Amino acid sequence: MKYELNKGDFVKIGNDTGVIVFLVGEKDTPAEHLGIWFGETNEKGKPKYRTVPIDYCKKLNSIDVYH
């Protein structure tokens, strides 16, 4: 199955919004999963990401920018 999702895409997963940081097979991302960053960091400030099944990720085609 082909998915139209790429690194850097914003995705909606349930009520949460995240950014794709790893694709299938990168950084130990399991088959049919993506590495998603939800803006969280650990106690030392290092970004934390989770792996999420691709089918749960809905690409956001409209995002806003601010300065």
Side-chain angles (χ1 to χ4, degrees):
M1 182 180 293
K2 185 175 189 306
Y3 295 94
E4 298 296 326
L5 296 169
N6 300 293
K7 280 186 183 178
D9 285 346
F10 284 87
V11 290
K12 193 78 167 169
I13 300 149
N15 293 323
D16 298 318
T17 300
V19 177
I20 298 172
V21 293
F22 297 112
L23 301 174
V24 175
E26 295 181 325
K27 273 291 206 190
D28 301 320
T29 305
E32 299 184 21
H33 283 65
L34 298 169
I36 308 293
W37 185 56
F38 293 98
E40 295 182 39
T41 58
N42 68 12
E43 60 282 347
K44 295 181 180 178
K46 183 178 178 181
K48 300 189 315 184
Y49 74 97
R50 334 178 49 159
T51 61
V52 177
I54 293 170
D55 290 337
Y56 293 4
C57 301
K58 307 288 186 245
K59 183 176 179 177
L60 293 175
N61 292 313
S62 178
I63 58 174
D64 288 334
V65 64
Y66 66 96
H67 302 278

